[in-house]
Amino acid sequence: MAKIIPFKAVRPTRDKVSLLAARSYDSYTPEQVESRLRDNPFSFLHIVNPGYKYKKEISGEERYSLVRNRYQEFKEDEIFTQDEKPSFYIYKIVNRDGLEFNGIVAAASAQDYENDVIKKHEDTLEYKEVIFENYLKTVGFNAEPVLLTYPDNDELATIIETVMHDRAEYEFTTTYRDTHYLWKVDDETTINTIQSIYEGMETLYIADGHHRSASSCLLAKHLKAENENHTGKEAYNYFMSYLIPESDLKIYEFNRLVKGLNGLSKEEFLIQLDTVFRIENRNQEYYKPLRKHHFSMYLDGEFYSLSLRKNSYTISNALDGLDAQILYKTILKPILGIEDLRNDTRIEYSHGKNDLAYVQTMVDKGDFTVGFGLLAVTTQEMKQIADEGLKMPPKSTYIEPKLRSGVTIYEF
């Protein structure tokens, strides 16, 4: 049984939401950050980058405290207001590619995360969990929902569709040409119906936001231990989430770019590949893999197709069958000597929205030696790996939708 509850969101006023909403901070270039901070006094980036006010780079606990201060100033200036009643929020995104995402912003249970009702498919780094937990504890709010997914449900779809017949609280288009809509649901009957539907679901899956959810749950555990009067109803027992049906998820691949061939010549590298893969030189033909266990490779101005030799690799679980894992176990680690996929500076990742033309360009420029193109992971693969308690390699999936920070804020 999944426990999902409504909450009193802190939200920007209707006239300022388009100015305030921001992408994740690390998705901007330094020039873009500077432009937005200079030209838009309402941008959420002013909250998460409080040192701009003093023209100084600030980090650690000092930064966290100033983030809290900026947030309080936005509330004092009534740029933000808090809803009076606990609500669910229907959120719709139509992106510039014409894809539509419909879901519900709500608070998900940290206990469900601990009990594996909310399942994970990616590893997290402990130091990142601790850093973000300290951040959350100091600032006292979460401004970016964790993306959760659930099996398609006709009853929920009908409720969402019915709510969307009314005028949206928000309707704004970003400079990325994505259009966002939000509706508030505070009717108790509808809230109870939505909660009962989720209670009938055995499992929810994290699609995006593994570190955010892990940090929120770590915070809940520590605040519970510190609170002698803990009841389980405190806000810290939950974390803000955006729940969408599985059919709405859009999963892109992450391609790999590698510097150097680990001391091998081009010919020696290809000979080692030949023991595990059937290799076909495509010359200048742009090649993108079309089925599982096939890879694209760009090396020395030419594309190659690599297809896994059936007798050269054993698949014993869902993770073994994942293309990103196959690439790691057959090429990246044994041939190119890359063991630590998270920290080795020889490897970088490019999500599939950049496509293989980006990989080709980066290799041709000399920034990298070889690039590998993968097929996107399916939702079923992601779920199966989570169900088996396994974890994907880093950067296995690039998942949409991507929500804006600051549209709904969860305080604890």
Side-chain angles (χ1 to χ4, degrees), residues 175-189:
T175 54
Y176 257 39
R177 301 196 303 277
D178 298 338
T179 303
H180 296 244
Y181 306 82
L182 180 138
W183 293 261
K184 183 173 68 171
V185 178
D186 58 9
D187 172 69
E188 289 189 13
T189 301

Side-chain angles (χ1 to χ4, degrees), residues 364-396:
D364 286 344
K365 284 172 57 180
D367 293 345
F368 297 90
T369 309
V370 61
F372 299 97
L374 287 73
L375 193 68
V377 173
T378 67
T379 302
Q380 192 56 42
E381 284 181 294
M382 184 183 76
K383 289 174 59 180
Q384 189 174 354
I385 286 171
D387 288 341
E388 293 183 16
L390 303 170
K391 301 293 186 295
M392 293 182 183
K395 301 295 184 182
S396 292

Side-chain angles (χ1 to χ4, degrees), residues 80-95:
F80 283 130
T81 59
Q82 186 167 26
D83 287 328
E84 296 181 359
K85 296 174 62 177
S87 305
F88 287 129
Y89 302 89
I90 306 299
Y91 203 121
K92 173 182 175 179
I93 303 172
V94 181
N95 74 8

Side-chain angles (χ1 to χ4, degrees), residues 274-291:
D274 194 77
T275 62
V276 186
F277 293 93
R278 181 175 178 176
I279 306 171
E280 183 179 347
N281 188 333
R282 303 273 182 154
N283 296 306
Q284 300 300 313
E285 177 191 349
Y286 184 91
Y287 174 71
K288 182 178 175 67
L290 298 176
R291 60 178 189 260

Side-chain angles (χ1 to χ4, degrees), residues 79-287:
I79 299 168
F80 283 130
T81 59
Q82 186 167 26
D83 287 328
E84 296 181 359
K85 296 174 62 177
S87 305
F88 287 129
Y89 302 89
I90 306 299
Y91 203 121
K92 173 182 175 179
I93 303 172
V94 181
N95 74 8
R96 57 180 171 181
D97 299 321
L99 298 176
E100 183 174 315
F101 309 97
N102 299 301
I104 300 175
V105 177
S109 166
Q111 192 64 49
D112 281 354
Y113 180 94
E114 290 291 329
N115 294 338
D116 213 29
V117 174
I118 296 175
K119 293 193 174 184
K120 315 91 184 166
H121 68 264
E122 283 188 3
D123 268 331
T124 54
L125 298 178
E126 185 176 356
Y127 81 90
K128 283 192 173 183
E129 292 181 19
V130 172
I131 288 172
F132 196 54
E133 182 210 1
N134 291 335
Y135 171 82
L136 291 174
K137 189 172 185 178
T138 302
V139 304
F141 67 85
N142 195 309
E144 185 177 356
V146 172
L147 183 63
L148 300 179
T149 189
Y150 57 86
D152 285 34
N153 182 284
D154 290 341
E155 191 175 2
L156 264 181
T158 299
I159 291 172
I160 291 171
E161 187 65 34
T162 300
V163 171
M164 291 193 304
H165 286 156
D166 295 331
R167 183 193 179 194
E169 290 272 320
Y170 298 149
E171 179 180 349
F172 64 97
T173 300
T174 70
T175 54
Y176 257 39
R177 301 196 303 277
D178 298 338
T179 303
H180 296 244
Y181 306 82
L182 180 138
W183 293 261
K184 183 173 68 171
V185 178
D186 58 9
D187 172 69
E188 289 189 13
T189 301
T190 306
I191 286 174
N192 291 336
T193 301
I194 291 172
Q195 286 185 285
S196 67
I197 293 171
Y198 282 115
E199 285 173 0
M201 296 181 185
E202 292 184 4
T203 307
L204 302 174
Y205 294 86
I206 298 175
D208 192 22
H210 284 78
H211 280 97
R212 274 172 280 143
S213 52
S215 301
S216 296
C217 293
L218 193 62
L219 177 65
K221 188 182 298 184
H222 289 161
L223 291 181
K224 174 183 177 181
E226 295 172 7
N227 185 1
E228 294 181 357
N229 300 312
H230 174 83
T231 65
K233 295 182 179 180
E234 296 85 357
Y236 61 70
N237 293 293
Y238 299 87
F239 56 93
M240 185 167 64
S241 300
Y242 179 49
L243 298 101
I244 68 171
E246 291 173 5
S247 61
D248 270 15
L249 278 183
K250 176 61 177 176
I251 305 178
Y252 296 89
E253 70 279 9
F254 260 108
N255 299 316
R256 272 69 171 141
L257 289 155
V258 179
K259 298 176 182 178
L261 296 178
N262 198 26
L264 299 172
S265 67
K266 173 184 172 181
E267 291 72 22
E268 289 170 335
F269 175 60
L270 290 172
I271 288 171
Q272 290 204 30
L273 284 184
D274 194 77
T275 62
V276 186
F277 293 93
R278 181 175 178 176
I279 306 171
E280 183 179 347
N281 188 333
R282 303 273 182 154
N283 296 306
Q284 300 300 313
E285 177 191 349
Y286 184 91
Y287 174 71

Side-chain angles (χ1 to χ4, degrees), residues 10-13 15-16 20 41-42 46-47 53 69-82:
V10 175
R11 300 189 286 117
T13 55
D15 62 317
K16 294 184 177 64
L20 187 137
F42 302 110
H46 281 285
I47 294 176
K53 182 177 181 179
N69 290 347
R70 293 291 164 276
Y71 173 64
Q72 292 299 334
E73 289 169 6
F74 271 51
K75 291 179 70 176
E76 290 164 5
D77 293 341
E78 297 184 345
I79 299 168
F80 283 130
T81 59
Q82 186 167 26

